[in-house]
Amino acid sequence: MSETAVVEVKKKNEALFSKKNKRLITDPLNDNNPITIQVLGICSALAITVQVEQAVIMGVSVLAVLILGNLIISLLRNLIPSRIRIIVQLVIIAFLVTLVDLALKAYVPAVSEKLSVFVGLIITNCIIMGRLEAFAMGNKAWPSVLDGFGNGLGYAVVLIIVAVVREFFGSGKLYGFELLGDPTSGAETGLYAMGYMNNNLMILPPMALIVVGVIIWIQRSRNSKLIESH
Amino acid sequence: MAVNKEGSGYTFAFAIVLVVLVGATLAFTSMSLKDKIKKNVNDKKMMNILSSVGFTDKDVTRKNAAEMFEKYVVKRMSINSKGELLVEKSGAVNALDKEDPFNFDLKKQYKSDIAKLVQGLKNNPVELMKKVDALEDAKYPMYVVEKEGEMLYVMPMVGTGLWGPVWGYVSLREDCNTIYGAAFDHKGETPGLGAEIKKESFEKNFIGLKINDDKGGFVSITARKGGKLPGNEHQVDGITGGTITSNGVNEMLYRSMLVYSRYFKSK
C-alpha cells in the first residue's frame, strides 16, 4: 500500500502546482479512493454505516482528524527523529482523536453515545496513519492539508453511500426520516400497510461488506484506469 | 542546525517535549469540558430513570431532563444490603453533594466489588447473595416517582452481559410487587441478538409481572430460554441467540431486586 502511495507522490511533484493540488483532492475521490481502491478503513465502514447520521458524523470526525494530523505532522516533519516517527504520528493521532471525543461528549452527547467505541477506533483507522506516513512526512503544509481533505472526503463519501443503501433498505429511513411509513406492528402506515417489510440483513455487518463490494465493482467497471491487466 | 537529529539525546528530548505538550493540552481541555460532560451524563441518567416509568424520548429530552426529573421524582434514597434506609433526599439534584443517592456510582461499585463475585458464583445464586450481602459498604440507590397520583419505585441495577456491562431500571407499582415498567441498556452486546434487551419489544414484556409469589416470597423475573410458560407471572421470553445476555440480565434482576425487596418488606 505504501509503495504505491510513494510512487504517486513522486509523480505529483513533477506536475504543475495548481493542477497538482487539485488532484490531491480529486484523486482520493475516485482513482485512489481510500476505501474502494486502497481498501483501508474497512472496519469502520462495516461498523457505523447502519444509519446515515452516524456515517456523516464519523466521516466529518475522520476528515477533521486527517486534516489536522496531516498539517501537524507536515509542520513537524523536519523536526521528527526518523527512528520514532511512527510513534510520534500515533501520539498526534491519539491526541486529536481524544480531543474530538471530548468535544463530542460535551457538545453533541447523543451522537457521542451512538458512536461510542468507534470514536476511539479512529486512532486505529489505517487511512490516517497511511496518509501521515506516506504524504505528510514528505510534503509541505498546504498540500498536506489538501491531501487530508481529499482522503477524508473520499472516505466520507463511500461511508455515506453505504449508509444510504443500508438505512433505506434496512429501516426504510433516510437520516432518521421515515420515508416508507411507520413499521410498528399493528399500526403500520404507508408501504408497510401493504405488506412491505424491511430487509433485516441490511442492518447486519456482512451486508456492509457486500455493499462496499458492489460499489467497487461499479467503480471499476466504469473507470478504465482501474481495470487490472491480468 | 547543529543538532544531530538522529542522535539519542535529540530523540529523547523530542519525545519528552511532545508528550508533555500533548498531555498538558489534553488535561486542560478535559478540565474545561468536565462540567459540560458531567451534566450530559447526568441528563442521560435522568432520562433513563424516567423512561422506566413510561416516559418516552418525546416526553423527556436532554433539554428538559433535569426539570422533569425534579417534577416527578419525589424522593431519592439509598439503602444497604439489609434493606435499611441510609439516605433520603428530595428537591433538585445537587451535582456536588456526595451524599445524594443520585450521585452514587452504582456501576463503579459493581465493577470494583461485585463483578468478581458474580463471575465466580454464576450458577450458585444463594452462595453469591451471601457474599454480596457481606459487603458492608455496598449502597443501593432507588427513586420514588409520583406519576398520575401513584407512587412508583425505581430500582437501578447493573450486571454483566456477553461482551460488557448491562444495566437497567425496573419500576414497581405502589404495591411494591407489580412491575410498572423497565428500561435496559448495554455497552456492546451483539446488535440483533443480545442488544435486543434495550428494545421496547423486550422491555414491554416486563409490564404487569410480579416479583413476589402469592405468599409474598421473593421470586424475581427470569427471561426464559424457549419462551415464557403460559400464565407465569415471573417470566418473560428469552432472547433468541442472546442466551448469555439473557442470563446476565436474569442474574442482575435477581441479585438487585432481592436487596430492594428487603426494603419493601421492612417498610
Side-chain angles (χ1 to χ4, degrees):
Chain A
M1 224 56 75
S2 62
E3 253 173 60
T4 56
V6 170
V7 173
E8 173 206 333
V9 170
K10 276 189 190 146
K11 200 172 66 196
K12 272 178 204 152
N13 284 342
E14 293 154 12
L16 276 170
F17 189 73
S18 61
K19 203 178 163 191
K20 189 188 87 183
N21 280 351
K22 227 163 79 183
R23 285 203 48 198
L24 288 178
I25 297 181
T26 54
D27 253 14
L29 293 183
N30 188 359
D31 293 356
N32 201 9
N33 189 286
I35 296 186
T36 61
I37 307 301
Q38 300 179 24
V39 202
L40 297 174
I42 286 291
C43 168
S44 54
L46 304 189
I48 42 105
T49 49
V50 176
Q51 287 166 357
V52 178
E53 194 186 0
Q54 289 173 38
V56 170
I57 290 155
M58 186 71 172
V60 172
S61 309
V62 168
L63 189 71
V65 171
L66 201 45
I67 292 175
L68 287 171
N70 260 4
L71 176 67
I72 294 173
I73 289 294
S74 169
L75 291 174
L76 293 176
R77 70 185 188 283
N78 293 325
L79 295 173
I80 298 172
S82 62
R83 275 191 292 176
I84 57 163
R85 65 180 199 286
I86 301 282
I87 298 170
V88 171
Q89 289 162 13
L90 263 179
V91 169
I92 299 289
I93 297 168
F95 165 64
L96 291 169
V97 168
T98 314
L99 276 187
V100 169
D101 191 28
L102 284 172
L104 289 178
K105 271 189 188 141
Y107 297 105
V108 268
V111 169
S112 165
E113 270 155 31
K114 275 188 192 155
L115 290 178
S116 64
V117 294
F118 299 113
V119 176
L121 283 185
I122 300 176
I123 299 174
T124 57
N125 191 322
C126 24
I127 297 172
I128 300 176
M129 274 297 278
R131 292 329 291 171
L132 295 195
E133 171 70 7
F135 197 89
M137 280 301 284
N139 285 278
K140 290 198 177 116
W142 178 237
S144 298
V145 168
L146 293 180
D147 179 76
F149 181 75
N151 277 284
L153 211 59
Y155 170 78
V157 164
V158 174
L159 222 58
I160 291 167
I161 295 175
V162 177
V164 164
V165 174
R166 289 183 75 193
E167 189 176 0
F168 185 74
F169 291 103
S171 339
K173 297 178 192 171
L174 274 184
Y175 213 86
F177 292 107
E178 290 175 342
L179 294 181
L180 305 175
D182 185 357
T184 322
S185 61
E188 296 100 332
T189 58
L191 267 183
Y192 295 103
M194 291 186 273
Y196 174 80
M197 277 172 83
N198 287 323
N199 185 348
N200 278 334
L201 188 59
M202 277 290 175
I203 306 281
L204 301 175
M207 213 50 206
L209 201 60
I210 294 170
V211 174
V212 171
V214 171
I215 292 173
I216 294 177
W217 174 30
I218 295 172
Q219 192 190 3
R220 294 214 172 203
S221 67
R222 293 176 62 93
N223 192 335
S224 55
K225 265 187 274 176
L226 298 174
I227 297 170
E228 286 153 31
S229 52
H230 51 82
Chain B
M1 236 190 281
V3 189
N4 175 16
K5 279 206 313 172
E6 300 307 323
S8 298
Y10 179 82
T11 307
F12 272 107
F14 185 89
I16 291 166
V17 170
L18 181 78
V19 169
V20 168
L21 273 181
V22 164
T25 319
L26 281 182
F28 175 76
T29 319
S30 167
M31 289 301 288
S32 48
L33 293 176
K34 202 175 151 196
D35 289 346
K36 271 209 170 76
I37 293 173
K38 182 79 192 150
K39 184 183 174 293
N40 288 333
V41 171
N42 281 348
D43 285 349
K44 182 70 192 174
K45 194 170 170 182
M46 290 173 178
M47 286 166 74
N48 284 337
I49 292 170
L50 289 174
S51 80
S52 76
V53 289
F55 288 104
T56 62
D57 287 355
K58 279 167 196 139
D59 303 322
V60 190
T61 59
R62 283 184 180 277
K63 269 194 192 124
N64 70 3
E67 195 186 315
M68 292 284 282
F69 191 81
E70 200 185 328
K71 185 174 164 196
Y72 285 98
V73 179
V74 288
K75 258 192 283 183
R76 307 185 293 279
M77 304 186 288
S78 69
I79 59 171
N80 63 14
S81 52
K82 295 193 189 79
E84 294 159 354
L85 185 66
L86 296 175
V87 189
E88 194 180 304
K89 297 258 174 185
S90 56
V93 173
N94 179 358
L96 298 173
D97 183 0
K98 287 218 173 89
E99 284 267 282
D100 195 324
F102 182 81
N103 294 328
F104 181 71
D105 196 340
L106 193 65
K107 276 182 202 166
K108 202 167 150 193
Q109 168 177 292
Y110 178 77
K111 222 166 138 187
S112 62
D113 300 334
I114 301 175
K116 52 179 183 281
L117 300 176
V118 172
Q119 199 59 34
L121 292 164
K122 229 180 275 180
N123 304 316
N124 192 346
V126 179
E127 196 60 30
L128 172 65
M129 281 320 289
K130 270 187 204 157
K131 291 257 171 82
V132 171
D133 289 344
L135 298 167
E136 284 186 355
D137 297 336
K139 285 183 203 158
Y140 297 86
M142 59 183 288
Y143 306 93
V144 183
V145 176
E146 191 178 350
K147 193 189 175 194
E148 288 152 8
E150 190 178 357
M151 291 294 186
L152 306 168
Y153 300 89
V154 180
M155 307 176 284
M157 47 191 75
V158 185
T160 309
L162 174 58
W163 303 113
V166 293
W167 60 91
Y169 297 90
V170 175
S171 64
L172 294 181
R173 282 182 172 276
E174 224 156 16
D175 62 4
C176 303
N177 183 18
T178 315
I179 292 184
Y180 184 84
F184 298 101
D185 209 342
H186 62 91
K187 190 165 183 197
E189 298 305 297
T190 322
L193 304 174
E196 295 289 302
I197 58 164
K198 71 180 285 190
K199 295 264 174 77
E200 203 204 329
S201 52
F202 179 72
E203 292 167 349
K204 70 165 194 252
N205 295 333
F206 282 79
I207 298 172
L209 297 184
K210 296 198 163 47
I211 66 166
N212 297 329
D213 60 21
D214 295 339
K215 292 175 194 123
F218 177 72
V219 192
S220 183
I221 308 289
T222 344
R224 186 177 179 273
K225 192 177 178 175
K228 73 175 278 189
L229 298 171
N232 191 312
E233 286 186 315
H234 313 291
Q235 285 178 348
V236 293
D237 294 340
I239 293 160
T240 315
T243 309
I244 297 177
T245 311
S246 302
N247 290 346
V249 170
N250 290 344
E251 187 281 323
M252 167 177 87
L253 287 167
Y254 178 82
R255 174 170 41 77
S256 314
M257 295 203 301
L258 178 57
V259 174
Y260 291 112
S261 73
R262 288 175 189 150
Y263 168 77
F264 295 132
K265 271 168 200 162
S266 68
K267 198 163 62 101

